[in-house]
């Protein structure tokens, strides 16, 4: 039998090798239009980044080696341009000399793969725009970067290839900006997990534009410009187009083979096309999804290799084997983060109209007490009958084995409660006694039996608007101070039973902790005592990243390796007096603590406890592996009046040096100075209190005093401009903006408000009595030399931006205000 294979790489090459192992008699001829029949497609980005040093390591099998070992006829740079099904022959074009010839076949296997999508965008034909699909593409990208001294790049598309190429361009110290049409990166995972990737990309200084496409490419003398749909213009030395692939079906279509709903080549379960003599495998074929038999395209390496082996058995006639569909199990490295998924996600389930439940757990990858434990988030999707629809994971270690375990469970037809019964390997360096997969099974069962009622992250905003709903934060004070859901009431879980009398049984309580575990305990306490409650799925840790700005809208330029090395050693100091930074660092640290392996709030708790044990001005150094620690400790230090001296990153370990805050002592402390300064804290946003504050402040100015006003919390509304200012805000910030008055003109009376009537009457009386408005009083105060400072910490909490506040004011924190207070003869709080 003469078997012709069109296309090599995963599916075609696997089939060819299997066919020869099954029979020495068959004639096997393989045609490949490229130079290489079998290469590691998924390794291409890593050679561009220099992670895989040797180019030849990507060549799985060379033409010569495969011919020698498997006794087959392999013809590279040979493109099959036509299939004559009646004659059972093909027409081949030699790409070196253009000569065409025919070859007959008994059985034909199509493995043409997929091709990068290149939409008809003006200017897309520029030589500066590259795609990455094969060895030749990789060589072209490498050559262009080397020959043109590329300093920055734009990657269009944030799928697997887009993220991988972005990371590897960064490995070469090329500035990278990503442009993505969707509202998130990595379509296989849902938004709340993608939100964590968005923040991770920003941490690595990768620019990110979401919900934005390219309108036009413009070639310039020394760069290419990208005009985005919102009018933004980016410039780059090179553009990598990674917006997806489509099945290469032109040959099959011209031959009259049936195509499927998705546009891929239609096959049966034995990989046979509509022509009994022609089979097809790989990225070009339409397959059935394991979950619900939906027709899908899944261009991944495992399905192609598996299909290659199955089709070889079927062509050889040794046995009849069926391909039972694809799950789409996939995994990706995003710098030091790992993201993986299997089965269907929420977007797909919703689109198909399938009802589902979701359970999200946060655990460490191994036992917390063993050094180096790192956080891991695992999300499970399932039906009310317990069928597992899919899973997603994000973390630093151990994500792969959890997703692989659930992928096996799905293929085995297990239900969510069967996950509890999986006996998985345990030793402290590798796991916990209860694996995250086991925990996911427990949580899912609790939901299905009614022992747990969950609230999802995307329901929080609507629940915050409901008067009868109260958010209950059961975390410790240190966690609460770093951040909480706006308006939440805090009662630590260990105090909850003794403080139940403070709660109202007519209310519905949404309970949350950091990761969901303490929240569940609190939820059970409340429901057992007759309260109506729900637990926030995934806890504060899952919800919080979704409230942040998901984009990093800036053009990332070249990153000089030498400068990066210097910057990585820079000291981050705030408000130092006396000792210089280097002098402080050379002193013996008062204490060094190791919080590696602890999950939030562990590192902050250890930091807080240690800080209490040292003296003012002493140094503390803490090491932690919790990725959120660097952000959390900055907030904690600022609120406590401490100073971060140095931040270092060694692999996954963050090392932070903090100097304990101390009061300033005047140089000539023995001399008494007369003070003539007035300070005031404007906390209230009530009209009457604002008027009183500014009348007093203007009066103090008139008496020759140096007057400083510190506006915080609701007082910040007095400083808002009356017109709407277009600034980027996240969900919570937009909600706050809608609820708060915009400027002095919308302030209300604290007493006798009477549905707005009292406020109107007061304004009329003030006008009649020629009393200046709040805005007029404030402008007079500033014009006469008064100082207004807006508290940046509470601006951040309330989602207010500098552009939204009136001109002529300063911005600062508590330390700046307290500095003014020390020089003041009196301080008022209004």
């Amino acid at each position: 039998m003469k078997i012709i294979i069109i296309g090599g790489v995963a599916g075609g090459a696997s089939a060819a090798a299997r066919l020869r192992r099954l029979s020495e008699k068959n004639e096997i001829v393989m045609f490949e239009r490229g130079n290489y029949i079998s290469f590691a497609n998924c390794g291409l980005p890593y050679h561009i980044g220099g992670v895989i040093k040797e180019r030849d390591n990507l060549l799985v099998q060379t033409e010569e080696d495969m011919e020698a070992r498997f006794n087959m006829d392999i013809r590279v740079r040979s493109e099959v341009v036509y299939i004559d099904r009646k004659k059972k022959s093909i027409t081949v074009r030699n790409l070196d000399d253009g000569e065409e010839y025919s070859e007959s076949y008994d059985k034909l296997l199509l493995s043409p793969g997929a091709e990068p999508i290149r939409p008809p965008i003006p200017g897309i034909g520029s030589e500066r725009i590259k795609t990455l699909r094969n060895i030749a593409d990789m060589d072209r990208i490498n050559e262009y970067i080397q020959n043109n001294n590329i300093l920055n790049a734009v990657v269009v598309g944030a799928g697997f290839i887009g993220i991988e190429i972005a990371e590897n361009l960064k490995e070469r110290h090329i500035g990278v900006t990503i442009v993505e049409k969707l509202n998130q990166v990595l379509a296989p995972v849902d938004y709340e997990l993608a939100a964590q990737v968005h923040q991770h990309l920003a941490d690595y200084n990768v620019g990110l534009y979401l919900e934005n496409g390219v309108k036009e490419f413009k070639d310039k003398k020394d760069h290419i410009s990208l005009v985005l749909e919102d009018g933004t213009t980016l410039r780059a030395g090179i553009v990598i187009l990674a917006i997806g692939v489509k099945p290469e079906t032109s040959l099959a279509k011209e031959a009259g083979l049936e195509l499927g709903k998705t546009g891929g080549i239609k096959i049966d379960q034995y990989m046979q096309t509509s022509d009994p003599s022609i089979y097809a495998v790989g990225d070009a074929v339409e397959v059935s999804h394991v979950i619900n038999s939906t027709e899908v395209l899944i261009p991944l390496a495992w399905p192609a290799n598996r299909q290659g082996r199955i089709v070889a058995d079927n062509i050889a006639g040794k046995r009849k084997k069926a391909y039972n569909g694809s799950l789409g199990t996939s995994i990706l490295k995003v710098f030091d983060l790992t993201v993986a998924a299997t089965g269907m996600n929420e977007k797909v389930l919703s689109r198909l109209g399938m009802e589902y439940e979701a359970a999200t757990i946060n655990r460490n990858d191994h036992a917390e007490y063993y050094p180096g434990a790192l956080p891991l988030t695992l999300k499970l999707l399932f039906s009310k009958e317990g069928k597992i629809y899919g899973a997603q994971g994000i973390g630093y270690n151990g994500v792969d084995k959890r997703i692989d375990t659930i992928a096996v469970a799905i293929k085995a037809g297990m239900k969510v409660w069967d996950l509890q019964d999986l006996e998985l390997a345990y030793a402290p360096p590798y796991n916990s006694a209860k694996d995250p997969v086991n925990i996911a099974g427990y949580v899912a069962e609790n939901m299905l039996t009614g022992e747990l009622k969950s609230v999802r992250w995307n329901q929080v905003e609507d629940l915050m608007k409901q008067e009868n709903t109260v958010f209950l934060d059961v975390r410790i004070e240190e966690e609460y101070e770093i951040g909480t859901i706006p308006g939440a009431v805090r009662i630590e879980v260990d105090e909850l039973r003794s403080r139940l009398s403070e709660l109202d049984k007519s209310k519905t309580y949404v309970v949350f902790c950091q990761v969901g575990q303490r929240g569940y305990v609190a939820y059970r306490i409340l429901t057992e005592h007759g309260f109506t409650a729900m637990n926030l799925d995934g806890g504060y840790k899952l919800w919080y990243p979704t409230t942040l700005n998901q984009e990093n809208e800036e053009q990332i330029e070249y990153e000089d390796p030498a400068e990066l090395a210097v910057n990585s050693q820079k000291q981050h100091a705030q408000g130092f007096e006396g000792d210089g930074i280097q002098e402080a660092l050379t002193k013996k640290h008062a204490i060094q603590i190791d919080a590696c392996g602890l999950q939030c709030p562990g590192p902050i708790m250890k930091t807080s406890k240690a800080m209490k044990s040292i003296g003012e001005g002493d140094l503390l150094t803490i090491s932690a592996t919790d990725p959120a620690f660097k952000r959390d400790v900055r907030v904690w230090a600022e609120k406590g009046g401490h100073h971060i001296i140095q931040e270092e990153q060694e692999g996954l370990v963050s090392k932070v040096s903090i100097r304990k805050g101390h009061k300033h002592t005047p140089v000539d402390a023995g001399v008494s100075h007369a003070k003539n300064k007035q300070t005031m804290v404007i906390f209230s946003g009530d009209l009457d209190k604002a008027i009183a504050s500014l009348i007093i402040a203007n009066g103090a100015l008139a008496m020759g005093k140096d007057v400083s006003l510190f506006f915080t919390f609701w007082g910040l509304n007095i400083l808002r401009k009356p017109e709407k200012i277009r600034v980027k805000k996240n969900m919570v910030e937009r909600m706050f903006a809608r609820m708060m008055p915009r400027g002095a003109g919308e302030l209300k009376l604290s007493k006798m408000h009477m549905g707005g009537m009292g406020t109107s009457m007061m304004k009329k009386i003030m006008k009649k009595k020629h009393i200046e408005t709040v805005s007029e009083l404030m402008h007079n105060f500033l014009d006469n030399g008064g100082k207004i400072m807006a508290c940046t910490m509470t601006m951040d909490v309330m989602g207010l931006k500098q552009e939204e506040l009136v001109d002529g004011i300063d911005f600062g924190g508590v330390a700046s205000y307290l500095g003014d207070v020390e020089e003041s003869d009196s301080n008022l709080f209004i």
Side-chain angles (χ1 to χ4, degrees):
M1 181 167 57
K2 183 177 181 181
I3 304 166
I4 285 181
I5 300 173
I6 301 175
V9 196
S14 294
R18 175 68 173 169
L19 281 164
R20 178 55 73 222
R21 290 195 297 271
L22 291 174
S23 172
E24 282 287 320
K25 297 177 182 179
N26 293 328
E27 179 184 358
I28 303 171
V29 185
M30 180 188 291
F31 294 94
E32 169 59 52
R33 65 183 169 193
N35 292 318
Y36 306 97
I37 56 163
S38 184
F39 60 89
N41 193 296
C42 297
L44 302 178
Y46 298 98
H47 178 62
I48 291 173
V51 178
I52 298 174
K53 303 293 184 185
E54 298 298 327
R55 175 183 179 276
D56 288 351
N57 288 347
L58 297 173
L59 303 179
V60 179
Q61 280 279 8
T62 65
E63 173 190 357
E64 296 78 15
D65 289 345
M66 197 158 183
E67 282 186 329
R69 178 170 296 178
F70 295 106
N71 185 29
M72 59 184 65
D73 183 358
I74 298 177
R75 306 177 196 179
V76 297
R77 294 194 54 75
S78 297
E79 182 178 12
V80 177
V81 295
Y82 182 69
I83 300 172
D84 189 330
R85 290 168 53 196
K86 290 183 179 179
K87 295 181 178 179
K88 298 186 74 171
S89 70
I90 62 171
T91 301
V92 185
R93 179 182 299 136
N94 187 314
L95 295 180
D96 290 324
D97 58 20
E99 179 186 350
E100 292 187 357
Y101 60 95
S102 297
E103 284 283 347
S104 63
Y105 65 84
D106 295 308
K107 299 289 185 181
L108 178 66
L109 173 60
L110 295 174
S111 179
E115 59 180 341
I117 296 172
R118 293 181 71 96
I121 301 172
I124 200 167
S126 169
E127 68 166 4
R128 292 189 175 96
I129 300 174
K130 310 292 184 184
T131 57
L132 181 61
R133 190 63 182 165
N134 52 41
I135 293 283
D137 290 339
M138 179 189 74
D139 290 341
R140 281 191 286 267
I141 291 172
N142 269 332
E143 183 180 357
Y144 192 84
I145 290 173
Q146 292 164 3
N147 294 345
N148 293 277
N149 189 31
I150 299 300
L151 302 181
N152 70 331
V154 171
V155 177
V156 182
F160 279 44
I161 293 296
I163 296 295
E164 286 176 342
I165 193 65
E167 175 184 344
N168 281 281
L169 289 172
K170 288 284 292 184
E171 289 284 344
R172 297 179 69 153
H173 304 295
I174 293 173
V176 180
T177 302
I178 299 173
V179 177
E180 170 56 52
K181 183 72 171 175
L182 299 177
N183 68 340
Q184 66 165 81
V185 303
L186 302 177
V189 301
D190 290 313
Y191 185 84
E192 68 272 31
L193 271 70
Q196 298 180 43
V197 181
H198 300 161
Q199 307 309 315
H200 197 66
L201 290 171
D203 288 343
Y204 278 85
N205 199 30
V206 174
L208 180 61
Y209 288 76
L210 295 172
E211 298 184 85
N212 219 337
V214 179
K215 184 178 180 181
E216 183 180 6
F217 295 102
K218 293 182 179 179
D219 249 329
K220 304 293 183 180
K221 183 179 180 180
D222 59 350
H223 69 278
I224 185 170
S225 290
L226 296 85
V227 181
L228 305 187
E229 291 173 346
D230 69 353
T232 301
T233 298
L234 304 176
R235 54 178 291 156
I238 188 172
V239 172
I240 306 297
L241 202 62
I243 59 178
V245 296
K246 60 182 180 180
E248 175 55 82
T249 59
S250 57
L251 194 61
K253 188 175 182 180
E254 289 175 10
L257 297 177
E258 186 179 352
L259 301 184
K261 294 179 180 179
T262 62
I265 301 171
K266 188 174 181 62
I267 55 171
D268 63 13
Q269 60 182 325
Y270 303 112
M271 314 308 296
Q272 201 167 34
T273 70
S274 54
D275 185 322
S277 298
I278 302 177
Y279 297 76
V281 296
D283 296 354
V285 303
E286 178 182 271
V287 296
S288 173
H289 201 289
V290 169
I291 298 298
N292 66 348
S293 301
T294 305
E295 297 89 352
V296 289
L297 294 171
I298 298 185
L300 295 172
W302 184 90
N305 278 285
R306 176 62 180 149
Q307 291 161 13
R309 181 182 177 92
I310 287 174
V311 79
D313 286 358
N314 293 333
I315 290 174
K318 295 289 185 181
R319 57 186 64 83
K320 200 78 168 175
K321 277 191 175 179
Y323 182 70
N324 297 317
S326 297
L327 263 178
T329 306
S330 54
I331 192 165
L332 177 73
K333 175 181 177 293
V334 188
F335 295 99
D336 51 10
L337 195 65
T338 300
V339 185
T342 189
M344 291 181 169
N345 59 30
E346 286 197 65
K347 296 185 290 292
V348 173
L349 291 169
S350 297
R351 188 176 70 244
L352 296 173
M354 298 172 63
E355 293 186 359
Y356 63 89
E357 301 287 339
T360 312
I361 64 151
N362 294 289
R363 290 293 186 273
N364 281 337
D365 66 306
H366 63 251
E368 185 175 287
Y369 57 82
Y370 187 87
L374 291 165
L376 178 151
T377 299
L378 186 62
K379 176 180 179 180
L380 188 67
L381 296 167
F382 51 95
S383 73
K384 290 182 178 180
E385 294 73 37
K387 180 178 180 178
I388 305 171
Y389 285 152
Q392 299 157 44
I394 186 169
Y396 296 83
N397 292 323
V399 175
D400 52 347
K401 68 178 181 179
R402 273 72 191 208
I403 292 298
D404 286 345
T405 300
I406 295 176
V408 171
I410 294 174
K411 279 290 188 80
M414 292 182 177
K415 300 296 181 71
V416 288
W417 41 81
D418 294 320
L419 299 179
Q420 307 169 18
D421 209 31
L422 293 177
E423 187 176 345
L424 303 173
Y426 160 63
Y430 304 104
N431 205 344
S432 296
K434 288 186 287 188
D435 187 272
V437 172
N438 299 140
I439 300 295
Y442 291 133
V443 174
E445 184 184 52
N446 287 341
M447 293 175 64
L448 294 178
T449 59
E451 293 179 27
L452 170 62
K453 187 175 181 180
S454 290
V455 167
R456 304 293 311 289
W457 67 272
N458 53 359
Q459 296 175 291
V460 170
E461 183 175 8
D462 287 338
L463 287 170
M464 289 173 71
K465 299 174 185 176
Q466 297 180 12
E467 292 185 6
N468 201 48
T469 301
V470 177
F471 282 83
L472 181 61
D473 188 337
V474 298
R475 300 174 301 161
I476 63 173
E477 184 178 0
E478 285 85 352
E479 294 173 282
Y480 178 83
E481 288 181 348
I482 291 171
T484 189
I485 295 175
V489 175
R490 188 183 73 85
I491 301 178
E492 290 182 29
V493 63
D494 294 336
E495 301 175 357
L496 185 56
R497 288 186 183 86
S498 63
R499 296 178 61 182
L500 289 174
S501 60
E502 300 175 26
L503 304 181
D504 183 350
K505 287 192 175 180
S506 69
K507 304 286 187 182
T508 296
Y509 289 92
V510 178
V511 186
F512 68 96
C513 64
Q514 191 70 13
V515 299
Q517 189 173 10
R518 287 170 291 169
Y520 173 62
V521 173
Y523 165 84
R524 293 302 305 166
I525 292 172
L526 290 175
T527 54
E528 286 294 308
H529 285 83
F531 289 88
T532 302
M534 297 177 284
N535 187 34
L536 180 59
D537 178 61
Y540 181 82
K541 178 182 178 180
L542 187 69
W543 171 81
Y544 176 69
T546 68
T547 70
L548 301 175
N549 184 9
Q550 301 301 309
E551 299 178 286
N552 182 22
E553 291 185 339
E554 58 177 302
Q555 176 77 64
I556 306 299
E557 302 293 343
Y558 174 65
E559 296 181 342
D560 186 345
E563 184 178 338
L564 285 174
V566 173
N567 288 341
S568 67
Q569 300 300 321
K570 275 187 177 179
Q571 293 78 30
H572 302 277
Q574 304 161 2
F576 259 111
E577 304 83 21
D579 294 345
I581 299 170
Q582 291 298 332
E583 184 180 349
L585 287 170
T586 56
K587 289 184 175 181
K588 184 178 180 180
H589 290 253
I591 190 171
Q592 296 193 36
I593 55 177
D594 184 357
C596 292
L598 296 182
Q599 199 172 34
C600 182
I604 288 295
M605 291 176 64
K606 290 195 75 169
T607 304
S608 178
K609 182 178 180 180
M611 191 63 77
K612 293 174 184 176
S613 69
I614 64 176
E616 293 177 345
D618 287 341
L619 293 177
L620 177 151
T621 295
I622 180 166
S623 300
T625 48
D626 178 15
F629 175 69
K630 281 200 299 185
R631 180 190 69 245
D632 290 348
V633 78
R634 291 174 195 144
V635 178
W636 177 86
E638 181 181 354
K639 290 187 176 182
H642 311 300
H643 309 294
I644 292 180
I645 308 304
Q646 188 177 51
E647 295 178 0
E648 296 177 284
Q649 191 74 30
E650 298 176 3
L652 296 175
V653 178
S654 299
K655 191 175 182 181
V656 181
S657 297
I658 309 170
R659 182 176 182 178
K660 187 168 182 176
H662 62 283
K663 295 181 179 180
H664 311 307
T665 303
V667 176
D668 48 353
V671 181
S672 176
H673 295 277
K675 297 179 179 179
N676 193 34
K677 188 166 186 173
Q678 177 70 59
T679 53
M680 297 169 62
V681 178
I682 315 298
F683 179 86
S684 173
D686 295 327
L687 175 61
D688 43 342
K689 295 174 184 177
I691 294 169
S693 302
L694 289 165
I695 288 175
I696 295 170
N698 278 292
L701 276 180
M703 294 174 62
K705 285 181 175 287
D706 181 6
V707 184
S708 177
L709 308 182
F710 186 73
F711 285 76
T712 185
F713 277 97
W714 316 119
L716 289 169
N717 291 315
I718 303 171
L719 303 180
R720 292 183 73 183
K721 293 176 181 176
E723 67 273 15
K724 187 174 181 179
I725 306 298
R726 295 187 64 83
V727 290
K728 272 195 170 294
K729 293 195 175 190
N730 59 44
M731 174 185 70
V732 175
E733 291 171 341
R734 290 195 302 271
M735 183 187 65
F736 259 110
R738 288 195 297 268
M739 293 191 297
M740 296 186 300
R742 186 181 292 124
E746 294 187 4
L747 301 182
K748 311 296 182 184
L749 288 176
S750 62
K751 305 284 186 183
M752 298 176 63
H753 178 50
M754 296 183 291
M757 187 184 302
T759 302
S760 298
M761 290 172 59
M762 176 61 72
K763 288 181 178 179
K764 287 181 181 178
I765 293 171
M766 289 174 62
K767 186 175 182 180
K768 184 177 180 179
K769 300 288 186 180
H770 304 291
I771 299 174
E772 293 177 310
T773 65
V774 173
S775 295
E776 290 169 339
L777 288 168
M778 185 162 53
H779 287 303
N780 286 340
F781 176 75
L782 290 170
D783 290 343
N784 291 318
K787 177 184 175 183
I788 290 179
M789 180 178 292
C791 177
T792 52
M793 186 274 289
T794 47
M795 283 176 63
D796 184 50
V797 170
M798 299 170 71
L800 292 173
K801 312 298 182 183
Q802 293 188 14
E803 299 94 321
E804 296 181 275
L805 303 189
V806 296
D807 299 329
I809 65 174
D810 297 326
F811 300 89
V814 174
S816 300
Y817 157 67
L818 292 176
D820 288 340
V821 170
E822 287 190 354
E823 300 173 6
S824 174
D825 53 359
S826 67
N827 178 55
L828 302 178
F829 186 95
I830 299 177

